[in-house]
């Protein structure tokens, strides 16, 4: 009886070790492929594979800036769901029937020398050189359908004097793509599509999209047509705390013109735009914040969103 129990315990332990080793191998494979294509370090929070369902779930995938830039997050994907064909591995091919990505944030950084982190990625540098390099042999890949959810782009410009200029482009779009056959296509879509949706122009990665066969969509400023010049959020803090935090953020980001703590209003100039910061008390510990921004009469919602982003960081 004891021998049977011992064998059972050994089998359970071996299965547990196998599952850990299997998940670790897959996480390492994903990280190494992403790093080899982009030249940027990556990390994965957790991964689970169901052999029976042929599905993979990944949480907290993060890609960080390449060398020469602050150690900030370049791509933040909290959730990845995959429906795969494991049988294709026998033929030496990665076949994903469905890949769903929810991008929380793309971080675009301009360093003090005026270089962009996006343009310093390996996928951009390799395709923009004068001499075409022979691509390294990769395992065959086929992604039937890619569902791409895009949250926001956070732009930080360290090339200016003083504190960095921060702008936030809230995208909140979902798109579907078909028949992706190489890793460069996938990673180019993940990085370039949110930037195009935000209306950011002139990036090298757009040229890479054409080079790898990804259809290059027209770059259109997503906010030009909405006319919206404000963002609004509710924080679980007192009105006094929200005001003090807003005052601190705006003093760093721009120049205060008027302030009225009793009325909960601050007027300022941030990145050349006129910004108005307004508070509304909802309860003793709940405050609604509205931030608007205009420049030469035109909406500058990305500037307003940038101030709100910094306020959210202060109130964490």
């Amino acid at each position: 009886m004891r021998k049977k129990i011992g064998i059972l315990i050994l089998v359970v332990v071996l299965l547990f070790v196998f599952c850990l080793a299997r998940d670790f191998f897959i996480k390492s494979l994903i990280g190494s492929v992403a790093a080899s294509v982009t030249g940027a370090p990556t990390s994965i929070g957790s991964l689970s594979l169901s052999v029976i369902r042929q599905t993979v779930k990944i949480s907290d995938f993060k890609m960080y800036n390449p060398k020469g830039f602050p150690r900030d997050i370049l791509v933040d994907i909290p959730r990845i769901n995959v429906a795969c064909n494991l049988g294709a591995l026998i033929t030496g091919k990665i076949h994903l029937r469905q890949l769903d990505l929810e991008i929380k944030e793309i971080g675009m950084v301009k360093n003090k020398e005026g270089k962009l982190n996006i343009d310093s990625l390996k996928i951009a540098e390799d395709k923009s050189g004068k001499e075409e390099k022979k691509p390294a042999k990769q395992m065959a890949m086929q992604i039937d359908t890619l569902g791409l959810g895009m949250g926001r782009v956070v732009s930080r410009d360290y090339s200016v004097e003083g504190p960095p200029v921060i702008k936030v482009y809230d995208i909140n779009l979902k798109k579907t793509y078909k028949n992706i056959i190489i890793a460069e296509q996938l990673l180019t879509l993940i990085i370039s599509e949110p930037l195009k949706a935000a209306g950011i122009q002139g990036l090298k990665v757009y040229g890479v999209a054409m080079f790898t066969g990804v259809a290059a969509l027209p770059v259109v400023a997503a906010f030009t047509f909405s006319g919206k010049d404000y963002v609004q959020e509710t924080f679980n803090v007192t009105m006094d705390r929200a005001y003090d935090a807003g005052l601190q953020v705006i003093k760093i980001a721009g120049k205060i013109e008027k302030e009225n703590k009793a009325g909960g209003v601050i007027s300022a100039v941030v990145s050349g735009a006129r910004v108005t910061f307004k508070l509304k008390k909802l309860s003793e510990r709940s405050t609604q914040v509205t931030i608007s921004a205009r420049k030469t009469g035109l909406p500058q919602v990305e500037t307003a969103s940038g101030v709100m982003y910094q306020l959210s960081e202060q109130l964490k």
Side-chain angles (χ1 to χ4, degrees):
M1 184 68 180
R2 289 183 178 178
K3 186 176 180 180
K4 290 181 179 179
I5 294 174
I7 293 173
L8 180 61
I9 292 173
L10 179 61
V11 170
V12 171
V13 170
L14 288 175
L15 284 173
F16 178 72
V17 171
F18 168 75
C19 290
L20 286 179
R22 176 200 64 192
D23 291 354
F24 176 77
F25 171 76
I26 297 173
K27 286 170 66 175
S28 300
L29 177 63
I30 294 170
S32 63
V33 169
S36 66
V37 173
T38 64
T42 63
S43 69
I44 294 174
S46 65
L47 180 147
S48 63
L49 167 67
S50 172
V51 177
I52 297 174
R53 295 189 182 91
Q54 297 194 65
T55 59
V56 180
K57 292 184 178 180
I58 300 170
S59 63
D60 296 328
F61 174 91
K62 292 180 174 63
M63 180 184 295
Y64 299 90
N65 284 329
K67 289 183 179 179
F69 297 88
R71 175 72 176 182
D72 293 332
I73 295 173
L74 193 156
V75 181
D76 185 356
I77 308 178
R79 185 180 67 85
I80 302 175
N81 289 333
V82 185
C84 52
N85 175 14
L86 294 177
L89 291 173
I90 298 174
T91 63
K93 183 177 182 179
I94 299 172
H95 180 203
L96 310 181
R97 297 191 299 272
Q98 177 77 37
L99 173 60
D100 291 314
L101 303 171
E102 289 294 335
I103 302 174
K104 178 183 178 183
E105 185 175 304
I106 297 288
M108 188 175 74
V109 175
K110 182 183 286 187
N111 64 15
K112 292 181 179 179
E113 289 73 37
K115 294 181 179 180
L116 287 171
N117 60 342
I118 302 295
D119 286 343
S120 298
L121 291 173
K122 189 176 179 180
I123 50 174
E125 293 178 344
D126 284 352
K127 303 301 183 295
S128 61
K130 292 182 180 179
E131 295 183 4
E132 184 179 330
K133 296 182 180 180
K134 186 177 180 180
K137 188 176 181 181
Q138 299 178 14
M139 182 179 287
M141 173 188 286
Q142 173 67 43
I143 302 174
D144 295 341
T145 305
L146 168 66
L148 192 62
M150 295 172 271
R152 66 188 180 189
V153 174
V154 178
S155 169
R156 296 178 176 87
D157 186 355
Y158 291 90
S159 66
V160 298
E161 292 185 7
V165 173
I166 299 177
K167 295 183 179 181
V168 177
Y169 303 81
D170 291 307
I171 303 165
N172 298 320
L173 287 178
K174 288 191 176 181
K175 289 187 177 183
T176 301
Y177 307 86
K178 300 285 187 180
N179 299 322
I180 296 164
I181 58 172
I182 56 174
E184 284 87 349
Q185 284 182 326
L186 175 60
L187 289 166
T188 299
L189 279 171
I190 291 171
I191 294 169
S192 68
E193 289 302 283
L195 296 169
K196 286 196 288 186
I200 298 169
Q201 303 185 39
L203 301 179
K204 290 181 182 178
V205 74
Y206 298 151
V208 179
M210 296 181 66
F211 184 92
T212 57
V214 176
L217 300 177
V219 179
V220 178
F223 310 106
T224 302
F225 306 105
S226 66
K228 184 179 177 182
D229 68 347
Y230 72 92
V231 289
Q232 192 174 77
E233 285 191 34
T234 298
F235 297 94
N236 294 322
V237 298
T238 64
M239 188 168 168
D240 281 348
R241 187 183 172 196
Y243 184 90
D244 291 341
L247 189 65
Q248 182 179 351
V249 165
I250 295 173
K251 279 182 177 179
I252 295 172
K255 181 181 179 182
I256 302 289
E257 291 191 329
K258 293 181 183 178
E259 56 173 296
N260 181 357
K261 188 169 185 177
V265 179
I266 301 172
S267 298
V269 175
V270 177
S271 302
R274 294 200 168 274
V275 171
T276 303
F277 176 94
K278 293 182 180 179
L279 301 180
K280 181 179 179 181
K281 182 178 178 180
L282 302 179
S283 67
E284 288 302 320
R285 293 196 59 81
S286 181
T287 305
Q288 184 184 80
V289 180
T290 304
I291 303 173
S292 61
R294 281 186 170 265
K295 186 175 182 179
T296 63
L298 297 175
Q300 296 288 310
V301 70
E302 64 272 19
T303 298
S305 295
V307 176
M308 186 71 81
Y309 176 85
Q310 294 173 81
L311 178 65
S312 299
E313 294 293 304
Q314 283 281 345
L315 294 177
K316 276 185 177 179

